[in-house]
Amino acid sequence: MTPSIAVPTISLDRDPQVVGREFDETLRTVGFFQVVDHGVDPAVADAAWNAARAFFDLPLDDKLAVERPAGGLYGYFPMRSESLAASRGEATPGDLKESFNMGPGIRPSLSPVDETEAALFTANVWPAALPELQQTWQAYYAEMSALADRLMRVFALGLDLPADFFTPHIDASPSALRAINYPEQTHAPEPGQLRAGAHTDYGTLTILRQEAGRAGLEVHDAATDSWVPIPPTDGALVINIGDLMARWTNDRWTSTLHRVVNPDAAPGSTASASQRRQSMPFFHNANYSTTVECLPSCLAAGELPRYEPVMAGPHLAGKSTKSVAPTA
């Protein structure tokens, strides 16, 4: 069946009002697009990417030395320790990936409202075996934060709001940077097991770098109940919104189901099942205590909001907790 959606590529180097309208049109239907002319320093991006690859190539003991603590958010996540489909209530085997996470770090000026917020602003852990990881990742985190701020300003314009509407709601954002390694598959996956199970993201927006020539990311086309691949595009970053932004816009914008399939399952793929893949997503979120409720420009006359107001931080925490795979 022919998909009813297409994932466009949008240049940011144009009038923000024009780009905002394009974002609005795309996010009403697809929930995903790619951006070019985004201004991210390629040297900074490549340094962080290469450091991530070097981390995943370390001996397992060196990676386990920075394994996230029980219930923690940052550090090393071993293979199969997450099941993203579980965030939607589906019972599947652990995803065929390993990852490394960093957060915003300690903010001395921040007074957390509870233990959950405090956990979002704990110190990051860095591997002694790879000292360059910290410097390169902190630089890339800053680049991603700046791009997210820029995107949120264009989002506001696309929603017929002042450009700085979201600014006071994201100035203490507990955003996270993650690198994901999908290793070569030397054994057949278990039934229902994917590199990343079908899920939606949780926060405001996600910025993703894919590995060139390593397909696998797919988005769900609800109209045809089919999956549409997003092939890696040189120099482009994949953008999608999460559940929080969909809620904020009263579902005017779509938080789209997506997954990463095993390499032999990718449509049109000539890769062997052993093909390795890497990606780097930046998960942007609203401030922990921000109250997310229907935006005034997203409510038609006589219409009622679809959702009750929710605090951004607990919403995020609840989703994240569900994705932890059960231990064997």
Side-chain angles (χ1 to χ4, degrees):
M1 183 176 293
T2 302
S4 65
I5 62 174
V7 178
T9 298
I10 299 173
S11 170
L12 296 185
D13 190 21
R14 293 175 299 138
D15 181 347
Q17 292 281 0
V18 173
V19 178
R21 288 194 293 272
E22 291 184 13
F23 282 5
D24 180 46
E25 180 180 350
T26 299
L27 291 171
R28 285 174 182 263
T29 54
V30 185
F32 270 78
F33 54 90
Q34 299 195 75
V35 293
V36 293
D37 304 320
H38 44 66
V40 175
D41 187 334
V44 172
D46 288 346
W49 179 271
N50 294 335
R53 178 59 61 93
F55 173 79
F56 292 125
D57 287 341
L58 289 174
L60 181 58
D61 285 348
D62 287 336
K63 292 185 285 189
L64 290 175
V66 289
E67 184 177 4
R68 65 161 188 152
L73 301 170
Y74 310 124
Y76 175 61
F77 287 60
M79 289 288 294
R80 301 178 180 85
S81 60
E82 283 188 311
S83 174
L84 290 176
S87 67
R88 302 174 56 244
E90 294 186 8
T92 62
D95 294 339
L96 293 172
K97 68 180 191 302
E98 59 180 342
S99 61
F100 184 83
N101 284 15
M102 73 165 286
I106 297 173
R107 298 276 183 89
S109 60
L110 181 71
S111 297
V113 299
D114 56 27
E115 292 183 356
T116 304
E117 183 178 16
L120 294 168
F121 290 92
T122 54
N124 290 299
V125 293
W126 303 104
L130 192 67
E132 63 266 32
L133 189 71
Q134 179 176 2
Q135 180 179 357
T136 57
W137 271 47
Q138 287 175 336
Y140 189 61
Y141 187 100
E143 289 276 341
M144 290 294 97
S145 296
L147 177 57
D149 287 349
R150 180 181 179 188
L151 290 169
M152 291 294 287
R153 291 179 66 85
V154 181
F155 277 8
L157 295 174
L159 292 165
D160 302 312
L161 299 168
D164 61 355
F165 177 87
F166 291 112
T167 301
H169 302 295
I170 60 174
D171 58 356
S173 168
S175 300
L177 174 63
R178 163 175 279 200
I180 307 171
N181 181 46
Y182 305 96
E184 296 85 353
Q185 294 182 2
T186 57
H187 299 86
E190 298 177 40
Q193 189 174 40
L194 295 175
R195 284 183 152 178
H199 64 286
T200 56
D201 289 345
Y202 314 146
T204 49
L205 65 88
T206 301
I207 306 171
L208 174 74
R209 175 175 174 175
Q210 298 195 83
E211 183 167 6
R214 298 291 191 271
L217 175 63
E218 297 181 343
V219 300
H220 186 246
D221 178 3
T224 61
D225 193 23
S226 60
W227 291 91
V228 180
I230 305 182
T233 300
D234 187 39
L237 294 169
V238 180
I239 312 295
N240 65 280
I241 66 160
D243 299 340
L244 196 71
M245 184 58 71
R247 191 180 188 113
W248 227 338
T249 63
N250 210 37
D251 288 337
R252 169 171 162 173
W253 289 357
T254 304
S255 180
T256 305
L257 200 65
H258 54 286
R259 66 185 186 180
V260 179
V261 296
N262 299 315
D264 57 341
S269 174
T270 59
S272 70
S274 65
Q275 187 181 66
R276 178 180 181 178
R277 182 181 189 270
Q278 180 170 299
S279 66
M280 286 188 74
F282 177 80
F283 299 107
H284 182 263
N285 298 294
N287 295 351
Y288 187 89
S289 295
T290 285
T291 298
V292 174
E293 55 189 335
C294 179
L295 296 168
S297 62
C298 296
L299 194 65
E303 186 180 16
L304 295 175
R306 296 186 179 189
Y307 306 101
E308 294 293 325
V310 66
M311 189 181 291
H315 169 86
L316 170 67
K319 289 275 189 174
S320 300
T321 301
K322 291 180 180 179
S323 69
V324 178
T327 55

